[in-house]
Amino acid sequence: MKLLIKNGTLVLADCEKKADILIENGKISKIGKDVTADCKTVDASGKHVLPGLIDMHVHLREPGFEGKEDIESGSKAAVAGGFTQICCMPNTDPVCDNAVVVNYIKNRQREVNLCKINPIGAITKGENGAAMSDIGKMKKAGAVAISDDGKSVMDSNIMRLAMEYASGFDIKCLCHCEDINLVDGGVVNEGYNSTLTGLKGSLRAAEDIMIARDIALAESLNVPVHICHVSTYSGVEIIRSAKSRGVKVTAETCPHYFILTDDIITTFDTNTKVNPPVREQKDRAAITEGIKDGTLDCIVTDHAPHALKDKQVEYNLAAFGISGIETSFALSYTYLVKTGVLTLSGLMQRMSKAPAEILNLDGGELKEGGVADITIVDLNKKYKIDSGKFLSKGKNTPFNGFEVFGKVVCTIVDGEIKYEV
Ligand code: DOR
Ligand code: ZN
Ligand code: ZN
């Protein structure tokens, strides 16, 4: 069980260097110049060799919504997007709120055998916000975090208990921050463009209040917390200030929040509908700054595949969500590295190392003795995003036709090639 990657440019934590990688038994056994071995060889000349990308926020839809996506199609999409490891949210049917569903997902992962999949357990039974699910049993079965993503836990005392239990089991609470009463049916950001279109808006405050609440709980209890998909400039500010006080808060954002503004909703294209909504220029700028200075630790996709019928309806009725796992690397490279916001090493910190650290997962860097989860990309390859070519069942993207740089050419998991163009 050997594999040799020759002549690539390796992206390490603080530099890039030309070297070969020898993989033996799923581990990187040697990094160096002119490595030779009698085994299958991948020619990476002219390409960059990255630590396998890790996406800690994905919706795979199985069990229950296999018309939108299933574990097999989602895994195919993930490896095509360069992801060697992903974490899936529990808003399935049944909800992943017990060890049986956690085990089911892990079994399906073994059958499909493409990327690694880590289930996230629900905070409350049925994500109903009322009764706590059994965190200990889910963790024992393999859940790596808890979240009621898709919904906010509105009851602050339940959230308190969830954070305390999670901390006791040494896993994190991933918070979808949305004051549902304040959202009051809003479908886009509340501002000039919601007025212009007549679409019902949702205030930044609906997100910020819950970010502040969850940080207040984490600070009072002295436990860690992770804030999902930050979309507001003010949310970035709340997190930055909490970090400066030493609160154990980490946070994520998604490509749509650092690339788009709500000008795009004036098309009424329901592929722009996502929760939280894309906001305004000052939010986009602050999210970008937050990624640059590390206030926002990582970039996730919030891959939320939907069927055509869920999106081909009027804006108010359409499902929230963007199918993002096959576009995330190229969009992030094009809009953050090409523009000089991050170095390629910096991007890998946010798309591989940080998620591994936040959730205590294997991987995140290329090193001798480390796991052989590796993504090879062609950064010079310029192309137009074509959702028709997605392997995901969800073709719902606002980025169709966007011109990007950076094509995933090979994805290696535990030393085995799982995707190759
Ligand atoms: O846009 C979203 N889609 N936001 C969420 O929080 C849930 C997700 C989904 O499950 O479709
Ligand atoms: Zn969410
Ligand atoms: Zn989500």
Side-chain angles (χ1 to χ4, degrees):
M1 288 301 289
K2 282 191 196 174
L3 185 67
L4 181 60
I5 304 171
K6 286 290 287 180
N7 301 322
T9 302
L10 275 48
V11 179
L12 305 172
D14 47 5
C15 66
E16 294 175 23
K17 75 167 185 194
K18 275 219 158 71
D20 305 331
I21 296 184
L22 180 64
I23 299 166
E24 289 178 276
N25 301 319
K27 298 264 190 279
I28 296 175
S29 60
K30 193 170 169 64
I31 295 179
K33 290 251 183 267
D34 305 318
V35 180
T36 52
D38 184 18
C39 63
K40 181 174 163 67
T41 301
V42 176
D43 177 18
S45 25
K47 314 281 193 316
H48 283 72
V49 181
L50 316 174
L53 306 180
I54 301 176
D55 189 351
M56 61 176 282
H57 189 147
V58 171
H59 297 269
L60 287 179
R61 308 301 191 203
E62 182 180 346
F65 303 108
E66 290 84 353
K68 295 174 191 278
E69 190 82 290
D70 57 40
I71 288 171
E72 184 171 4
S73 62
S75 300
K76 285 181 178 160
V79 292
F83 290 92
T84 53
Q85 181 158 213
I86 62 179
C87 304
C88 59
M89 285 296 180
N91 60 339
T92 48
D93 183 16
V95 167
C96 182
D97 61 7
N98 61 74
V100 176
V101 182
V102 172
N103 277 321
Y104 171 81
I105 294 167
K106 293 196 64 96
N107 286 335
R108 290 285 298 127
Q109 187 278 332
R110 278 188 282 271
E111 284 167 13
V112 170
N113 195 25
L114 288 169
C115 59
K116 295 169 183 169
I117 300 176
N118 308 289
I120 296 165
I123 294 172
T124 64
K125 287 188 182 144
E127 288 201 351
N128 64 8
M132 300 265 301
S133 48
D134 198 331
I135 300 167
K137 283 191 181 140
M138 291 192 295
K139 149 107 195 202
K140 206 167 165 208
V144 295
I146 54 168
S147 179
D148 269 4
D149 186 55
K151 289 182 181 167
S152 232
V153 175
M154 287 299 295
D155 184 324
S156 303
N157 194 41
I158 299 248
M159 200 56 167
R160 175 215 169 130
L161 294 173
M163 280 188 198
E164 284 186 303
Y165 285 142
S167 156
F169 288 111
D170 202 23
I171 57 177
K172 282 196 179 124
C173 233
L174 318 181
C175 304
H176 170 111
C177 295
E178 173 182 27
D179 183 321
I180 201 68
N181 302 309
L182 194 51
V183 169
D184 193 26
V187 293
V188 295
N189 177 62
E190 182 164 337
Y192 175 82
N193 283 318
S194 63
T195 307
L196 189 72
T197 55
L199 294 171
K200 187 163 166 54
S202 172
L203 286 176
R204 288 185 186 88
E207 180 173 344
D208 297 343
I209 285 168
M210 294 311 245
I211 294 178
R213 180 200 69 174
D214 291 341
I215 285 175
L217 286 171
E219 186 166 15
S220 302
L221 300 165
N222 192 27
V223 298
V225 70
H226 178 84
I227 308 296
C228 290
H229 45 49
V230 178
S231 76
T232 66
Y233 78 88
S234 31
V236 175
E237 207 39 69
I238 296 167
I239 296 162
R240 185 176 287 124
S241 138
K243 283 191 168 187
S244 75
R245 295 195 301 281
V247 182
K248 295 172 196 155
V249 56
T250 52
E252 59 180 50
T253 192
C254 317
H256 37 280
Y257 302 120
F258 62 77
I259 296 171
L260 303 178
T261 68
D262 66 353
D263 284 346
I264 204 161
I265 68 167
T266 58
T267 60
F268 290 94
D269 176 0
T270 58
N271 290 318
T272 65
K273 184 175 172 181
V274 62
N275 186 21
V278 293
R279 303 197 191 261
E280 298 175 18
Q281 175 51 26
K282 67 174 165 187
D283 301 283
R284 177 169 69 173
I287 299 279
T288 305
E289 189 52 38
I291 293 171
K292 189 180 166 84
D293 74 9
T295 301
L296 302 173
D297 303 79
C298 58
I299 296 166
V300 302
T301 64
D302 196 4
H303 178 66
H306 288 292
L308 211 52
K309 70 172 173 47
D310 304 319
K311 285 288 194 181
Q312 278 189 341
V313 290
E314 65 185 88
Y315 206 97
N316 285 315
L317 300 177
F320 288 99
I322 291 173
S323 178
I325 208 157
E326 288 169 82
T327 56
S328 183
F329 175 75
L331 287 170
S332 300
Y333 174 69
T334 305
Y335 285 88
L336 295 175
V337 180
K338 280 279 216 194
T339 55
V341 175
L342 295 178
T343 62
L344 199 49
S345 296
L347 184 63
M348 288 310 101
Q349 165 69 28
R350 288 151 184 85
M351 293 188 77
S352 182
K353 186 89 192 295
E357 281 172 352
I358 291 168
L359 296 182
N360 228 333
L361 309 173
D362 249 8
E365 59 189 319
L366 299 174
K367 60 171 187 207
E368 287 182 357
V371 66
D373 288 353
I374 296 169
T375 304
I376 306 176
V377 293
D378 180 350
L379 295 180
N380 296 318
K381 177 88 181 163
K382 184 175 163 190
Y383 62 99
K384 275 192 178 154
I385 291 173
D386 178 359
S387 59
K389 295 200 176 125
F390 283 1
L391 300 182
S392 168
K393 290 185 191 178
K395 315 296 179 195
N396 48 304
T397 175
F399 295 112
N400 204 27
F402 274 49
E403 202 153 78
V404 289
F405 287 86
K407 187 127 193 70
V408 174
V409 295
C410 184
T411 306
I412 297 167
V413 181
D414 283 333
E416 282 180 29
I417 296 173
K418 299 296 187 182
Y419 175 80
E420 205 176 11
V421 289

